[in-house]
Amino acid sequence: MCGIVGWVAYDRNLVHEQSALRVMTATAALRGPDAEGLWLDQHCGFGHRRLAVIDLAGGVQPMLAEEDRQPTVALTYSGEVYNYRELRALGHDFRTDSDTEVVLHAYLEWGEGLAERLNGMYAFGVWDGRQQRLLLVRDRMGVKPLCFHPTPDGVLFASEPKSILAHPDVSAEVDLDGLRELLALVKTPGHGVYRGVHEVRPGHVVVVDRDGTRTRRYWGLSARPHPDDLDTTVHTVRDLLEDIIRRQLIADVPLCTLLSGGLDSSAVTALAALGSREQGLGPVRSFAVDFVGQTEHFHPDAMRPEPDTPYVHEVAKHVGSQHADIVLNSGELTDSLYRTEVMVANDIPTGLGDLYTSLFLLFRAVREHSTVALSGESADEVFGGYRWFHDPTAVNANGFPWLTALPDRPGGTQGLFAPELERALDLHGYRDAAYRQALAEVDHLPDESPAEHRMREISYLHLTRFLQTLLDRKDRMSMAHGLEVRVPYCDHRLVEYVYNTPWSMKAFDGREKSVLRAAVADLLPESVLRRQKSPYPSTQDRVYERTLRQSLTEVVDDPQAPIAELINPPRVRETLAAPLEESGFGMSRRSVELLLGLNLWLRRYPVRLALT
């Protein structure tokens, strides 16, 4: 896992642009704390910050392939390719044991077609000097970030927008579409927040040459018949999970799991413990986040019926992991330094303040012991775990189900912005257009029942418009500490198989994630198998609520606050006068978080709003 940057310019000699490339590369230092590398040719320059995970001595980047001692192909690469050992059977001459060199030789063997042959999470750029062409490749599910900014004579690209914004010819501008994307709680594939900065869509390659830029999809969710019965399906899912975890345990640095006591992370931890014993690696480490006094004084709510910690400890004991709880207090969650670091790592503000800050602090603590962590992220999207998957009102609504199921949604902004800005934003229209576009992409089988037809759409919406926000959060918060977080449930083989499993089979026992529960039933305590879905924890400490109120009150009362001209002060004060909901998804609390984040963003980032 690393940070990458690149610059292609056909009308200038980039050999003389080392200082600009070095500044861009320096912004990725936290993503890659172990080494820095630069490479410049006449029309292409690559930068790289390395987090060494496999072949610590080899794998130095940017990596070059040469003919007659002249570099012909250069690679800057981030991520992990889990089938790199099989790909070494290409028969090429390898000088290192790294997956980086395997990716380079895969390009030499298959060119643009290498993408279809990789299994993993990755984002990389390949410059082919023979053709004067750049290839940008992003993994199928978008686990690793990759963005680009077209220029008059080429392109800039990087792992994160901050690296592109560090280029002297680029300014950090946000227009109405960018602000809509920030506020909509719908992740539009390929869309960025900053003007001119686009994301390489998951499962796509972008090719840049003198004729311009073209994009090709090499993978996507497609409808296929599911020939297996229930027993075969359950066993296939188990076999896939065992193979996925086995591959993702490969590392030359300490590895752990992130454990919440729910079905998803407990299954990953149990399988990792099993695989670790089989490979003679000893007991697996596990970590969980908690808040001071949360377990003792827990208040059930609509989203979180019970605390995580008792289940965490039961699973850790059951599988024999070396476990540690990372316990946070409200002072840490509201610390202005941490909140600023979170915003800078994320490049944009968020209405899920404590959910980001706590993850940031969890990963900071984990990094003191491990360099790689396995996460249970994305199982809910793959297997249908959220409660609105099973809510007929949300399923049959004419819109994104999470927005219907959570009317007091994170970052809900009705009436909080200045009236003229709200009219210009038209978030309802923006979400509706995004919803129509997403549905138009869904591939269906000709004989699907209406119920299966709709549930395929629901699955597609979550895998392409909801999951990406969580993957981005995981990536930014972990890589801010140089921690590589792997996501086993995002293996494309598992995603393809479960996506095409009929919904009637996915929910065969009337519960969420039925197939996953059956596949790992022999590995987990009965209490975890019975446990109701509970999302990532949010602090219930009243001190946190009071601090949010006080901070936003100070902002609203300051006519010079960066956000002053954007908000509707009477409505914001009214919101502050009402109780802030504790669920972690209450409109009031999340709106406060969002407005504070926007104010911090405009104050600390060189952002220019172009809203007219």
Side-chain angles (χ1 to χ4, degrees):
M1 201 77 75
C2 307
I4 64 174
V5 305
W7 181 8
V8 170
Y10 291 105
D11 293 342
R12 69 170 89 183
N13 188 344
L14 294 185
V15 171
H16 307 302
E17 302 288 349
Q18 185 178 104
S19 60
L21 190 65
R22 189 174 296 279
V23 169
M24 293 173 66
T25 305
T27 64
L30 296 179
R31 295 186 69 90
D34 296 328
E36 177 183 274
L38 297 178
W39 173 80
L40 294 107
D41 200 6
Q42 183 175 4
H43 296 305
C44 179
F46 282 170
H48 191 268
R49 292 290 315 198
R50 187 182 184 205
L51 174 63
V53 172
I54 294 176
D55 189 4
L56 307 189
V60 176
Q61 295 191 55
M63 187 172 283
L64 308 177
E66 299 180 343
E67 289 182 5
D68 300 325
R69 298 186 178 180
Q70 295 298 315
T72 57
V73 176
L75 170 69
T76 185
Y77 161 79
S78 171
E80 301 293 343
V81 170
Y82 302 124
N83 64 334
Y84 79 100
R85 289 177 172 173
E86 294 96 311
L87 292 175
R88 289 180 71 88
L90 287 171
H92 290 212
D93 234 351
F94 291 99
R95 295 174 295 176
T96 75
D97 293 324
S98 70
D99 59 334
T100 304
E101 189 179 14
V102 171
V103 172
L104 179 61
H105 281 267
Y107 176 80
L108 296 174
E109 181 74 17
W110 295 300
E112 188 179 323
L114 89 162
E116 287 88 339
R117 292 169 169 84
L118 304 180
N119 174 300
M121 55 178 192
Y122 46 81
F124 58 87
V126 178
W127 172 253
D128 192 327
R130 301 164 300 184
Q131 303 178 51
Q132 295 289 288
R133 185 184 74 167
L134 174 73
L135 181 71
L136 300 176
V137 182
R138 191 176 183 194
D139 67 70
R140 293 168 178 83
M141 297 298 292
V143 179
K144 300 314 300 172
L146 183 58
C147 53
F148 68 102
H149 182 291
T151 65
D153 68 334
V155 72
L156 301 163
F157 72 89
S159 295
E160 299 175 353
K162 63 173 62 68
S163 301
I164 292 175
L165 298 178
H167 189 277
D169 295 340
V170 179
S171 59
E173 292 188 1
V174 177
D175 57 20
L176 278 171
D177 265 352
L179 195 55
R180 291 180 184 115
E181 189 67 18
L182 184 64
L183 301 174
L185 200 65
V186 175
K187 180 74 173 177
T188 307
H191 201 306
V193 169
Y194 294 98
R195 177 181 279 175
V197 179
H198 312 279
E199 294 186 358
V200 177
R201 291 188 62 161
H204 283 65
V205 299
V206 173
V207 180
V208 181
D209 58 24
R210 291 182 181 274
D211 295 327
T213 300
R214 66 176 176 84
T215 299
R216 177 179 73 87
R217 189 181 85 161
Y218 71 88
W219 183 87
L221 294 167
S222 59
R224 293 196 296 270
H226 185 77
D228 297 339
D229 61 16
L230 178 59
D231 285 344
T232 303
T233 299
V234 169
H235 282 99
T236 300
V237 167
R238 174 61 173 267
D239 290 344
L240 281 168
L241 286 172
E242 288 185 358
D243 180 68
I244 291 164
I245 296 295
R246 191 179 303 113
R247 291 172 182 270
Q248 297 195 19
L249 286 175
I250 297 173
D252 295 331
V253 292
L255 179 146
C256 69
T257 69
L258 305 174
L259 178 60
S260 72
L263 176 64
D264 315 336
S265 66
S266 298
V268 168
T269 300
L271 287 165
L274 182 65
S276 186
R277 286 194 297 270
E278 289 176 350
Q279 297 178 37
L281 302 176
V284 69
R285 278 184 172 270
S286 61
F287 294 89
V289 68
D290 197 4
F291 305 100
V292 172
Q294 182 108 326
T295 300
E296 297 83 356
H297 307 291
F298 186 83
H299 300 291
D301 59 45
M303 296 295 297
R304 300 175 177 86
E306 51 198 355
D308 289 344
T309 300
Y311 294 96
V312 167
H313 293 171
E314 186 175 4
V315 172
K317 181 179 180 180
H318 186 81
V319 305
S321 68
Q322 292 183 351
H323 181 75
D325 292 328
I326 308 302
V327 183
L328 308 176
N329 61 56
S330 290
E332 293 172 299
L333 296 176
T334 57
D335 186 283
S336 60
L337 175 61
Y338 292 145
R339 291 175 75 91
T340 300
E341 288 180 337
V342 166
M343 190 274 295
V344 171
N346 200 45
D347 279 317
I348 55 176
T350 172
L352 301 174
D354 66 307
L355 302 185
Y356 276 66
T357 307
S358 63
L359 198 63
F360 177 86
L361 295 172
L362 167 65
F363 288 151
R364 182 187 68 166
V366 170
R367 185 61 173 88
E368 295 176 2
H369 307 278
S370 298
T371 308
V372 175
L374 302 188
S375 165
E377 198 91 84
S378 82
D380 288 310
E381 291 80 8
V382 173
F383 289 96
Y386 296 115
R387 64 181 175 88
W388 50 84
F389 272 88
H390 308 269
D391 177 358
T393 300
V395 167
N396 296 313
N398 190 25
F400 293 103
W402 54 92
L403 298 182
T404 303
L406 299 171
D408 291 335
R409 52 192 171 272
T413 58
Q414 189 67 36
L416 298 182
F417 289 111
E420 60 274 17
L421 177 57
E422 288 211 343
R423 286 192 294 271
L425 285 170
D426 184 19
L427 287 179
H428 176 77
Y430 185 76
R431 292 185 182 113
D432 184 66
Y435 176 69
R436 304 295 168 198
Q437 175 58 43
L439 288 188
E441 298 172 2
V442 184
D443 182 31
H444 289 283
L445 296 175
D447 57 349
E448 282 180 340
S449 69
E452 292 291 347
H453 183 99
R454 181 55 177 163
M455 292 312 298
R456 185 182 295 279
E457 292 177 340
I458 297 295
S459 295
Y460 187 91
L461 294 174
H462 280 82
L463 289 166
T464 63
R465 265 60 176 187
F466 189 81
L467 175 59
Q468 193 62 63
T469 298
L470 303 181
L471 293 177
D472 286 348
R473 179 186 67 165
K474 177 270 307 170
D475 176 85
R476 302 301 195 279
M477 297 304 100
S478 63
M479 292 306 292
H481 302 290
L483 175 70
E484 174 177 300
V485 178
R486 299 175 178 178
V487 193
Y489 293 113
C490 275
D491 186 290
H492 72 278
R493 299 169 299 161
L494 179 68
V495 173
E496 288 174 351
Y497 186 78
V498 178
Y499 180 71
N500 283 295
T501 299
W503 179 253
S504 59
M505 195 176 290
K506 290 180 190 175
F508 71 85
D509 61 359
R511 296 198 58 193
E512 77 281 358
K513 295 179 285 195
S514 306
V515 170
L516 175 60
R517 184 176 291 101
V520 297
D522 61 314
L523 298 175
L524 300 177
E526 185 63 28
S527 62
V528 173
L529 295 171
R530 293 195 310 265
R531 188 185 181 193
Q532 185 178 339
K533 163 68 184 174
S534 184
Y536 181 83
S538 177
T539 181
Q540 296 182 341
D541 190 350
R542 292 290 185 181
V543 173
Y544 186 77
E545 174 185 323
R546 290 196 296 269
T547 304
L548 289 183
R549 287 177 182 274
Q550 180 181 348
S551 298
L552 187 56
T553 298
E554 292 172 359
V555 169
V556 176
D557 290 343
D558 179 7
Q560 303 302 316
I563 201 175
E565 295 184 359
L566 302 180
I567 62 174
N568 181 353
R571 175 68 177 116
V572 175
R573 290 190 178 95
E574 180 185 344
T575 300
L576 285 171
L580 300 190
E581 299 180 23
E582 296 177 337
S583 69
F585 284 89
M587 176 179 176
S588 297
R589 177 163 159 178
R590 293 310 165 197
S591 297
V592 171
E593 295 269 25
L594 177 63
L595 294 181
L596 286 172
L598 283 169
N599 196 68
L600 177 63
W601 181 49
L602 295 173
R603 180 157 52 90
R604 295 295 182 92
Y605 241 62
V607 181
R608 189 180 81 83
L609 296 179
L611 305 181
T612 57

